[in-house]
Amino acid sequence: MKRKSKVAFCMASMMLLAAIAGCSPHGGGGNGEEEGKMDEQKVEADVNKDSLRVFMTFDEDSDEFYARNAADTETRYLVENFRNDVSGNRYYSEAKAAYRPNGVSGKSLCFDGYSNFIECGNPLKGAQEFSINLWMAIRAYDFVDSTRNITPLVEYYDATAKTGLIFGYTYHGRWGVRLSTANGEWQEIWADDCLDLYSLYNLGLVYSNGTLKLYQNGEEAKSGTCQFSSFSENAKLRIGCNTYAQNADAVFPYNYFSGLLDEVKVYDKAISAQDVKEQANLYMESGDVPALNYKDMNYPYDYLGDGNYRTSWHGAPPINWVSDINGGFYYKGKYHIFYTKSDLGPQLGGVAWGHMVSDDMIGWKETKPAIWSEDNGIDNRWVFAGSGGVVNDVPYIFYTGYILNQYGSFTCTVSMATPKDLNDPELTDWEKMSEVQLRLPDGYDTQNYRDPQIYIEGDTVYLMIVSRTNSGNPCIVAWSANVDNMTEWTWRGTVYEANYGAFKDSGYMWEVPVFLKLTSPDQSLTKWVLGFAPMGTDSNDTIYFMGEFNAETCRFVPDKTEVKRFDQGEDYFMCAPGEIYDPVSGNTVVFELIQCCWNMTGHSQYLHAYSGVLSMGRVYGIDNDGNLTVKPIDGYDKLHGDLLLSIEGKTAGETEKVYQTGMSYHANMIIETSFEENKMGFEIMSNKSGTEAITFYYDCKKQEFYLSSFKTSNLSRTISTYPYELSPLQPIVIDIYVDKSTIEIFINDEFAMSARVFNNLFCDNLVFLGDEWYIHEMTVYKMNSIWN
């Protein structure tokens, strides 16, 4: 099938029946005999078939359109999709086929919330009455567009003449229509009930003789009078997009539909109320709307697996934006982790708490979002970061609710939720505990109060929450409750307050705290680590204090006032660490977020599949001298595929120097320095000519480790350094994990250096730097995908 050069998805496998003049087809016609028979039967079964001008069934399995005539009218179709950060750029081998999950009848069509839409000309030109009927389910509301525009299901107007209509919904699922009137103004008619996320609805709209009626699931939902001005000569019917939408960083638009549509019909007559009811009843189940499996709303796990930048074994949702990792827990044999996500594109948008489940904390599968913003007094604007834990065999999540008042200002609260069904292994559905609303007392900045981190000591549950004093200092405050009563919370005041004027490296405000209790191997030393992501500094990392915590007074005292970094990488944003206590190993495992470089432009972020991924699970500890240590959790070797390289007892100069390893591998080595040369290390992602690479090496003279992306054509070039003394002939153990655009390096289980990188060329070689340093042993294994 011939594809238009700017089209990102192949929006094929659908049938558009429309009386449209002057539209050219996008793609070739297929024979579609079986699909055509089914669609023809649907057309023939419609008592209003003579007035049917658009009919989209989305049932066909072929990658080509099946075009036919309906009601003796000429059929034309045109599908447009100009933008997609993850499949419509040169870093993917081909455009993605449209995702068509199960619908109310046959297949439906998924819309990703920012890129794909359908345009099919002007089928109602001059019509004085009309009807629209469709099945739909919403994946995410739009909370970002400051114009508060309507997210359209069907948009049909002339932007120049300002005539036509938008049939859709706003945030919290308020739905209805905006249409032009004869006097050149806009009129809105809204239904009383709102549309929930992840629920199927049959919606209808009928206009005739100055009366417009809205229908939900076959029943009239609202009626209003208006004098519609008719559709102009230049009006265009679009499905799933808003021409007046705001743009995110001038890259992609808001107000695109995120969800699925099925059985979309447009008539050039006002069909009767009985006909509307019968349209709904066609797919009802004993009079009830069919249940929607949330898995039909999620894109397949491997949907973007062939991209050069799409990680193959780091946990991530199938598409779109990911931010704060909100921690999780182990419950009845499953590990659960939560994260802030948007289903409206590769940037902040319709924020919800995404949820993934794993058997081993390595292979993750996305489930239904746990919570999202609702029209209430707890979180009517956003649901942001927090944490999760199990208390008395009951899982809880603790989250930040942003409340927008009528004057446009925000306050924050901390709230909780629990699973609806404790016997559901995936804990799919959650219920908010509206009776628990932990609000900040006087003396603190109420707009900077968020990200509760659970910590359990004995029979007391603490929530460590970042805030800011009225004097301008960042701080940690706390509430506590007894494990036997999770609805009664006691204010514990300030756990720790930093002096921002004296120590600006710690930031003017903190985000997403970590609170870890660590004991040395010889059991002689116990320390607490208070970590956070600083705001207002040059650091993109999570930093920490180490010190003492008094559980009785709920006060933390750092050993030193200067902060340290959890990870020594520079060119990524590693924030929002989430904790999972693992009762199997007895460790608290930390998952951090590895995002792309913040110095990239919005357009670069868009083209490079801007989205975070989970880091490898990390176990932090302290050695017998009280120094922080880190290593990955056990089990990643189960992803090992082919052995790509094995070296033993050689100097670097005795190797072949250049090895083709691919872009997903694990290199484990015990090596030894030589102070006769400057560099000991590798170009760990290098193209054939060596013009582009990511470089990791130890400078033997300066005694520093380097991780550099300066040898790249990408504009995001940075270099990370970490001083580390090595004695002559001292062996060192290094593990290098490469996953396309994500690199994590662990050195002697003492520290890590990580990066998110986006080479413009295909870089699948490992190149040895230097000659004299010695390789005791080294293996390189291919890492298999977790998405297969």
Side-chain angles (χ1 to χ4, degrees):
M1 182 177 74
K2 183 178 179 181
R3 289 186 173 92
K4 202 169 182 176
S5 60
K6 289 187 178 181
V7 174
F9 276 57
C10 169
M11 297 288 291
S13 313
M14 68 183 67
M15 176 181 172
L16 307 184
L17 306 179
I20 305 169
C23 288
S24 60
H26 168 223
N31 54 35
E33 292 183 7
E34 293 302 318
E35 295 88 351
K37 288 178 181 178
M38 181 170 62
D39 291 328
E40 186 172 350
Q41 291 172 358
K42 290 182 177 182
V43 172
E44 292 301 319
D46 192 328
V47 298
N48 297 292
K49 64 180 181 180
D50 290 344
S51 299
L52 184 61
R53 292 296 170 260
V54 173
F55 182 23
M56 307 180 196
T57 68
F58 309 120
D59 288 338
E60 296 164 45
D61 290 328
S62 120
D63 277 344
E64 297 181 348
F65 297 110
Y66 176 69
R68 67 180 297 275
N69 291 332
D72 298 324
T73 60
E74 186 180 7
T75 299
R76 294 285 188 268
Y77 57 93
L78 178 64
V79 175
E80 297 287 359
N81 180 2
F82 294 116
R83 309 169 190 272
N84 195 289
D85 74 316
V86 289
S87 64
N89 60 64
R90 57 184 165 162
Y91 306 109
Y92 283 80
S93 58
E94 60 180 20
K96 293 294 173 187
Y99 176 49
R100 291 171 301 100
N102 295 325
V104 293
S105 174
K107 299 293 185 180
S108 64
L109 181 67
C110 253
F111 292 75
D112 62 15
Y114 69 102
S115 75
N116 53 316
F117 65 94
I118 303 168
E119 182 176 286
C120 43
N122 193 355
L124 297 181
K125 180 172 59 177
Q128 296 302 306
E129 56 182 45
F130 53 89
S131 305
I132 300 172
N133 195 278
L134 53 84
W135 284 87
M136 56 82 71
I138 307 172
R139 187 186 297 110
Y141 306 131
D142 192 328
F143 287 92
V144 172
D145 186 350
S146 61
T147 66
R148 295 292 170 263
N149 228 325
I150 297 174
T151 300
L153 303 167
V154 176
E155 173 201 273
Y156 196 169
Y157 61 79
D158 180 348
T160 303
K162 295 184 179 180
T163 60
L165 64 84
I166 304 176
F167 179 40
Y169 58 92
T170 61
Y171 55 91
H172 297 138
R174 183 172 179 246
W175 72 279
V177 63
R178 176 187 295 163
L179 69 166
S180 61
T181 61
N183 60 4
E185 297 180 352
W186 294 101
Q187 181 176 346
E188 297 180 353
I189 298 175
W190 298 98
D192 295 327
D193 295 333
C194 292
L195 306 174
D196 294 329
L197 301 185
Y198 286 85
S199 296
L200 275 172
Y201 296 95
N202 175 255
L203 301 184
L205 175 157
V206 176
Y207 174 78
S208 178
N209 296 322
T211 299
L212 188 139
K213 295 183 178 182
L214 300 176
Y215 293 87
Q216 179 174 322
N217 300 331
E219 303 294 335
E220 185 176 316
K222 198 73 173 180
S223 178
T225 59
C226 59
Q227 291 301 318
F228 179 62
S229 59
S230 80
F231 300 103
S232 75
E233 292 279 338
N234 298 316
K236 292 183 181 294
L237 189 152
R238 297 182 178 90
I239 309 296
C241 78
N242 191 322
T243 309
Y244 288 157
Q246 254 190 345
N247 275 1
D249 291 341
V251 178
F252 68 90
Y254 297 123
N255 290 128
Y256 274 41
F257 175 57
S258 177
L260 62 82
L261 290 177
D262 200 7
E263 306 298 308
V264 178
K265 294 183 176 182
V266 179
Y267 303 86
D268 64 0
K269 66 172 285 188
I271 64 175
S272 69
Q274 182 61 31
D275 291 341
V276 173
K277 190 173 185 63
E278 290 180 359
Q279 293 272 16
N281 286 341
L282 280 173
Y283 308 113
M284 293 283 198
E285 298 174 354
S286 301
D288 295 326
V289 174
L292 176 68
N293 188 330
Y294 76 86
K295 295 179 181 178
D296 288 332
M297 293 281 278
N298 291 350
Y299 279 76
Y301 302 117
D302 60 349
Y303 187 67
L304 304 172
D306 63 338
N308 289 351
Y309 301 144
R310 171 65 173 179
T311 56
S312 61
W313 53 270
H314 279 76
I319 64 171
N320 291 348
W321 184 84
V322 183
S323 186
D324 310 331
I325 308 302
N326 296 325
F329 46 78
Y330 176 85
Y331 186 71
K332 292 186 177 180
K334 298 282 187 182
Y335 297 93
H336 298 257
I337 198 162
F338 303 88
Y339 46 93
T340 306
K341 67 171 294 190
S342 169
D343 278 314
L344 293 174
Q347 282 198 351
L348 178 68
V351 172
W353 264 46
H355 180 192
M356 289 193 289
V357 179
S358 175
D359 293 326
D360 55 10
M361 292 189 286
I362 295 173
W364 294 95
K365 299 295 184 182
E366 186 177 46
T367 68
K368 181 181 176 182
I371 56 171
W372 50 79
S373 174
E374 298 179 85
D375 191 10
N376 54 31
I378 306 174
D379 50 41
N380 68 354
R381 183 68 166 119
W382 305 103
V383 289
F384 265 136
S387 59
V390 176
V391 181
N392 281 350
D393 296 324
V394 177
Y396 292 89
I397 56 176
F398 307 89
Y399 70 96
T400 306
Y402 272 65
I403 306 165
L404 178 66
N405 64 27
Q406 59 182 329
Y407 306 108
S409 61
F410 291 96
T411 56
C412 298
T413 186
V414 168
S415 296
M416 303 162 51
T418 55
K420 290 183 178 180
D421 182 2
L422 293 177
N423 294 316
D424 173 9
E426 293 191 349
L427 302 178
T428 306
D429 295 306
W430 289 71
E431 185 171 14
K432 295 174 183 176
M433 299 174 62
S434 58
E435 69 272 26
V436 178
Q437 299 180 39
L438 307 181
R439 299 179 185 260
L440 194 61
D442 293 338
Y444 301 88
D445 183 351
T446 58
Q447 291 189 344
N448 286 298
Y449 168 65
R450 54 185 180 270
D451 311 343
Q453 174 62 57
I454 184 175
Y455 173 73
I456 301 175
E457 181 91 3
D459 61 358
T460 303
V461 180
Y462 299 87
L463 291 181
M464 306 294 184
I465 306 168
V466 293
S467 188
R468 195 164 182 249
T469 65
N470 285 342
S471 61
N473 287 332
C475 62
I476 299 288
V477 298
W479 296 80
S480 68
N482 187 277
V483 294
D484 294 324
N485 189 351
M486 292 292 287
T487 60
E488 295 293 330
W489 291 83
T490 301
W491 171 249
R492 303 301 300 270
T494 300
V495 178
Y496 176 68
E497 176 182 346
N499 186 335
Y500 177 61
F503 303 102
K504 294 188 181 296
D505 286 346
S506 65
Y508 71 86
M509 174 62 190
W510 300 337
E511 292 184 300
V512 289
V514 173
F515 200 66
L516 300 172
K517 182 180 181 180
L518 305 176
T519 301
S520 61
D522 64 5
Q523 305 295 306
S524 65
L525 189 63
T526 297
K527 291 290 182 181
W528 283 260
V529 170
L530 173 60
F532 48 86
M535 300 176 66
T537 72
D538 293 332
S539 171
N540 278 339
D541 202 3
T542 304
I543 57 181
Y544 69 91
F545 296 107
M546 187 179 291
E548 306 291 335
F549 176 66
N550 186 315
E552 184 175 343
T553 62
C554 197
R555 298 295 181 266
F556 172 81
V557 179
D559 295 337
K560 297 179 181 179
T561 53
E562 64 266 24
V563 291
K564 294 184 177 181
R565 300 166 64 95
F566 275 108
D567 190 285
Q568 308 308 318
E570 291 281 356
D571 61 347
Y572 65 95
F573 184 61
M574 180 175 281
C575 76
E579 300 178 22
I580 295 179
Y581 173 68
D582 178 20
V584 178
S585 66
N587 295 319
T588 295
V589 180
V590 176
F591 287 89
E592 301 177 73
L593 179 77
I594 305 181
Q595 277 184 341
C596 70
C597 322
W598 282 105
N599 61 354
M600 295 171 69
T601 65
H603 188 65
S604 292
Q605 291 175 352
Y606 178 85
L607 288 178
H608 294 90
Y610 171 69
S611 184
V613 297
L614 269 66
S615 70
M616 301 171 68
R618 299 183 178 197
V619 177
Y620 287 94
I622 54 172
D623 61 23
N624 293 332
D625 295 321
N627 300 307
L628 192 70
T629 63
V630 61
K631 61 181 180 180
I633 60 174
D634 295 333
Y636 283 99
D637 56 353
K638 72 176 65 174
L639 298 180
H640 282 179
D642 295 338
L643 177 63
L644 304 175
L645 177 63
S646 179
I647 298 173
E648 186 174 351
K650 290 184 179 181
T651 64
E654 293 172 328
T655 69
E656 296 180 14
K657 286 292 196 174
V658 180
Y659 296 88
Q660 188 174 27
T661 56
M663 297 177 66
S664 180
Y665 63 86
H666 170 210
N668 169 263
M669 66 202 74
I670 302 174
I671 57 179
E672 185 180 294
T673 61
S674 168
F675 287 87
E676 301 301 317
E677 58 188 351
N678 287 336
K679 291 183 180 180
M680 172 184 71
F682 310 91
E683 289 183 347
I684 55 179
M685 293 178 70
S686 176
N687 66 326
K688 285 185 178 181
S689 63
T691 58
E692 185 152 17
I694 302 300
T695 308
F696 168 70
Y697 63 92
Y698 181 73
D699 189 312
C700 302
K701 303 298 184 183
K702 295 182 179 179
Q703 295 203 313
E704 288 184 323
F705 278 97
Y706 286 77
L707 181 60
S708 172
S709 61
F710 266 52
K711 193 176 180 182
T712 177
S713 57
N714 196 298
L715 294 178
S716 56
R717 301 169 187 160
T718 55
I719 188 167
S720 308
T721 62
Y722 183 67
Y724 189 86
E725 286 191 18
L726 280 175
S727 303
L729 307 181
Q730 176 186 345
I732 186 169
V733 179
I734 297 177
D735 285 277
I736 301 173
Y737 292 90
V738 176
D739 189 1
K740 295 185 179 179
S741 62
T742 300
I743 298 171
E744 296 186 69
I745 303 171
F746 298 88
I747 301 165
N748 266 357
D749 288 344
E750 294 178 26
F751 66 96
M753 300 184 79
S754 305
R756 195 83 193 271
V757 295
F758 301 96
N759 288 333
N760 283 331
L761 302 175
F762 195 71
C763 299
D764 62 345
N765 292 310
L766 178 69
V767 179
F768 285 69
L769 302 176
D771 294 309
E772 300 301 322
W773 55 277
Y774 187 74
I775 304 165
H776 287 275
E777 56 185 76
M778 177 177 178
T779 57
V780 179
Y781 283 92
K782 177 184 176 182
M783 293 289 279
N784 291 325
S785 174
I786 63 173
W787 310 120
N788 297 332

